[in-house]
Amino acid sequence: MVRAVIADDSGVMREILSEILTAAGIDVVEAVEDGTSAVRAILERDPDVATIDISMPDKNGLEVIEEVMAERPTPMLVISARANDGASETFEALDRGAVDFIAKPSGQLSVDIWSQRDEIVEKVRAAAAVDPTTLTQDAGAEPVQSTVPADRVPDGSTVVIGSSTGGPQVLERVLAELPREAKLRVLIVQHMTDHYTGRFAMRLNERTAYECREASDGDTVGAGDAVVAKGGRHLEVTADRDGELAVAHDDGPKIHNVKPAIDVTMRSAAEAVSGPLVGAVFTGMGADGAAGLSAIKAAGGKTIAQDEETSRVFGMPGRAVETGDVDMVLPEKRLAEGIVNALDGWSG
Amino acid sequence: MVRVSDAITTFVHESEEDIQKLNNALLDLENDPDGNEAIETVFRVAHNLKGNFGIMGFATASELSHAVEDLLDQIRDGRLEVTSERMDLVFEAVDQIELMVDEIAENGEPTTDPAETIESIRASIDGESAQAATEQPAANSATAVDDAADDDGRSRYRATVDVGETDAKRVDAMFVLDATGDADAFELVHTVPDRDTIEDGEFDGTFDVELAVDAADDGDEIASFYEESRYVESVTVDSVADATETETADETPAQTVDSGVETAPDTSSEDGDDDSDESNSEETSIASRRNKEVESIRVDVEQVDRLYNQVEEMVTSRIKLRKIIKGSGLVSAEEELEEHGKITSSLQDTVLEIRLVPLEKIVGNFPRVVRDLARDQGKEIDFEMEGVDNEMDRSILNELSDPLMHIIRNAVDHGIEPPAVREEKGKPREGTIRLTGERERDRVSITVEDDGAGLDVERIKEKAVEKGIMTQEEIDVLDESEVYDLIFHPGFSTRDEVTEVSGRGVGMDVVNEVVRGVDGTINVESEPDEGTSVTLTLPVSVAIVRVLFVTIGDETYGIPIKNIDEISELEDLTIETIEGQEIITHDDRVYPLIALDDTLDVGDAERSDDDMVIRIKTDVRQVCIRCSDVVGQEEVVIKPFEGILSGAPGISGASVLGEGEVVMILDVETL
């Protein structure tokens, strides 16, 4: 049974989260209301997962995460309020070692937290499945540049990357390590709520050499551009002409219970992309991306999966490997290199 | 959906606590605008409120608290100043939030539409720029100021329409106004000068029209609407960023003068008066909002565990008892019964302890009430509370809420003088009211003292005579503290002046009754021009009292043993009669003898020589009580009477005995 600790200064949130998790068969071993108790409860109870509110008295969520990570790494989910600085604090929390976040309803729409119960349970389960030993690996490592000269990557190459729990850090690293001169066209599908995907794209833009933005409907992705699929919409590649990929939003049903789904983007890319194509699936719970990689493979593209050792959750990459359609299984720090190598001297 | 309603209960309780915290922190902030701690508390609590509304999906309430949070954010960052008007706005918003929480508690969802308040807050946030915009309107252009439109879907614009100073201006204006009324896109709110004045032609060719439009519309549409009218010479459209401020025109005359309409200032100040009347009545309703009963208590897990263990012991003990009785071992049964008694009484102690809640629970909103009342009456009052963490039984506290409110209200209304009067008297402009809670063994005293005018002894005397409570002769011999006691006399209070406090007419007589009903006492001290202090002394816990049962005729009554000094047989005492009153002398003190049969009107009681006499402790009341017999003692729970029976002299309540028999408990002080 998954054991969870809840830390939130709102009694309402503590109660609702407890109810939701308990109803889903997760054992809430303790619910605390301030930062000091949060650190104490996590270290004492050694839960599989903890949810951490950012705004708490005496020690905020960021400090809690930092202390826990220093003392005994434990998978933690940040409870994020969207308003004001919510999004940037959330990414800050991810930087400090939180594996994922749950977005609190903002109240802007008449949507209450009960409507998010499935998503919450899924995220908590995914976080609980994280192997704590992967949490500290390579933290803050310097970007490793590919040994392959970028000029051997053919023009008009496309990379489609899908990731989920634990993915933002890996994506940031990989995108930073991909040489700008390779002028890749990068499509990123990270399972993330709307409103955060935009902020995430901005972050990647600031921290990597790629021109990164949240994909908009009818957008075109040129050489050296990276787009992040918008939360709540599937991202489809509709055409590849004049060196630019045309993309569109698809408001169809969730696939694998997620939206954006990696499979949608990868399948459409396999169909529409004419040049060299690489698909990669990183850490995450579930099966999304496996079928997408197979489609890319079938269309003559190359496929990569993150290895079990470095994946926080070896769910999606594992399922992809099981299909037999994965060309390379690589640790986190060799993913960028692998992508470039796959495109090296592409014969197509 | 049981689960959801559980969350709602938590939500309502937490929100109520937050609202009270918010109110008090806001008061701190108002008193000390630079206080970092206050603003941080205010901000954190507002944030939590907003978050909880969001979680629960109450969008409108979340938006309102979001607006408050944003305004507070501006204050925190020093971009906005703490002004009384701004604080009024925040308080108004907090009241509305409270109302919405009440509605959620009642119906599961809020029904109040906070759009207007949100608009006012948003307007206050960008008040500076909006005001600048209205002061320098560019002719023939529509200045659409980004305002609260995003939040409530409606925004307000003022169109200054010039139909030209012609003979036909009256008719032209009416055409324009009719067309405005017919337009689908906007709603005519009001005009300056008012419509009658315009239709009478008493204006100089220019008038203002205030319009409410959907958010999607902007000033341009309004401008073109009027520009297209052949009756209009020119038009200026401004966003009315702050509807509230504009309507209470007093502080912002510039906004109404800028139209250049001669009659505008008059009319608008009329408007302003109307509105301020309205807001006055609103403030009164704030002051009179109901006092909530303490509906939930927080319990230490330890206490619950202890409780559980005790219950377990009781169950075990019961099993043992049954076995013993089956085996007819009556001696052991008695022993076990003793054990059972011990468990019961420790169980009792635990439960009583759990029922204790801090005084703060009911006085927590007093600072806010005093603030509103003081502002309403133009008084300056520093209200302080001390010792409000002292705990009392929940049921006693609930009873006290209205009386305390009344005492506080009295202190504000009649105690503290207006600032000018205080200055004349050589006192600081600002008056002080202090509420102090103190625990002394098993009693808690609550004192409300003010440094105001003090009780007017002559006025009280006059009024007492006027109301026929006493004759002039009787009054003349009273000393001052006896005069003060007159205010507790039923019929002394003028009910009409107090009904609005609690909505159910509380006078000092009722305060007195309530306090006595929970086995408390009340004391008033006053010094002319120095102030008044009212002290309530109350038991910490409900009355589980050891009483002596006495009979008179066939009836049985209880007298609390703590009140009794001695029990004697009548025949052992010497009874004298002075001025028709039987008395007993003991230790050189004279004790009037009260015969229960007379006092309680028990007709068939036969007096005999073996009647008993109970001497009451002198600090309670210097009397002896004559009854037929004394029949034993027992620990009982006294239930104070409520409603029609409350305040019945001589009776403090009733107790239900084991067999379901109800026994009246005598209140020897009022017998």
Side-chain angles (χ1 to χ4, degrees), chain B residues 234-306:
Chain B
S234 71
V235 64
T236 313
V237 180
D238 291 312
S239 162
V240 182
D242 188 343
T244 327
E245 255 177 43
T246 319
E247 278 162 30
T248 45
D250 314 25
E251 314 108 49
T252 52
Q255 294 201 352
T256 43
V257 179
D258 70 359
S259 60
V261 182
E262 273 170 20
T263 48
D266 287 344
T267 328
S268 67
S269 78
E270 235 176 74
D271 259 0
D273 286 346
D274 286 347
D275 282 331
S276 63
D277 281 348
E278 256 176 58
S279 66
N280 278 351
S281 65
E282 200 172 74
E283 291 208 10
T284 324
S285 73
I286 292 162
S288 65
R289 62 211 160 122
R290 70 188 167 86
N291 278 311
K292 285 181 188 137
E293 293 214 330
V294 181
E295 282 168 350
S296 74
I297 46 176
R298 293 203 171 167
V299 180
D300 258 1
V301 181
E302 235 174 78
Q303 282 177 326
V304 177
D305 288 349
R306 207 187 316 154

Side-chain angles (χ1 to χ4, degrees), chain A residues 228-280:
Chain A
V228 176
K230 184 177 168 62
R233 295 276 185 283
H234 294 303
L235 182 68
E236 271 187 335
V237 182
T238 52
D240 182 2
R241 68 176 89 84
D242 305 332
E244 290 189 333
L245 297 175
V247 295
H249 284 160
D250 169 7
D251 198 11
K254 287 182 174 181
I255 294 178
H256 302 296
N257 208 19
V258 288
K259 199 162 143 185
I262 302 163
D263 280 348
V264 172
T265 311
M266 287 189 170
R267 278 196 187 116
S268 63
E271 212 161 285
V273 173
S274 50
L277 174 64
V278 174

Side-chain angles (χ1 to χ4, degrees), chain B residues 424-464:
Chain B
E424 259 170 48
K425 290 181 178 175
K427 296 185 188 181
R429 284 176 64 85
E430 188 182 61
T432 304
I433 298 176
R434 184 177 291 117
L435 185 150
T436 317
E438 261 176 310
R439 166 105 184 229
E440 204 174 306
R441 292 202 310 280
D442 59 347
R443 310 285 280 183
V444 166
S445 68
I446 306 170
T447 304
V448 176
E449 50 186 332
D450 65 63
D451 65 349
L455 290 178
D456 186 339
V457 173
E458 290 313 311
R459 177 85 191 91
I460 295 172
K461 285 183 179 173
E462 267 172 44
K463 212 165 158 188

Side-chain angles (χ1 to χ4, degrees), chain A residues 10-13 15 19 107 113, chain B residues 3 10-11 14 52 55 59 62:
Chain A
S10 156
V12 177
M13 194 65 185
E15 172 146 350
E19 295 277 5
I113 198 158
Chain B
R3 206 170 280 139
T10 310
F11 163 80
E14 187 165 307
N52 285 350
I55 298 168
S62 174

Side-chain angles (χ1 to χ4, degrees), chain B residues 389-406:
Chain B
D389 51 344
N390 279 301
E391 294 184 320
M392 299 176 70
D393 188 87
R394 179 184 150 274
S395 62
I396 297 176
L397 265 188
N398 283 343
E399 290 289 319
L400 286 183
S401 157
D402 281 341
L404 276 174
M405 176 71 86
H406 181 72

Side-chain angles (χ1 to χ4, degrees), chain A residues 111-161:
Chain A
V111 170
D112 62 35
I113 198 158
W114 297 95
S115 60
Q116 294 182 17
R117 59 203 305 170
D118 294 344
E119 189 192 332
I120 290 170
V121 169
E122 203 150 311
K123 288 203 169 195
V124 170
R125 285 195 181 286
V130 168
D131 176 359
T133 60
T134 63
L135 292 174
T136 43
Q137 284 176 5
D138 296 321
E142 285 298 303
V144 179
Q145 286 300 324
S146 163
T147 50
V148 175
D151 55 14
R152 291 188 55 183
V153 173
D155 284 350
S157 295
T158 305
V159 179
V160 186
I161 307 172

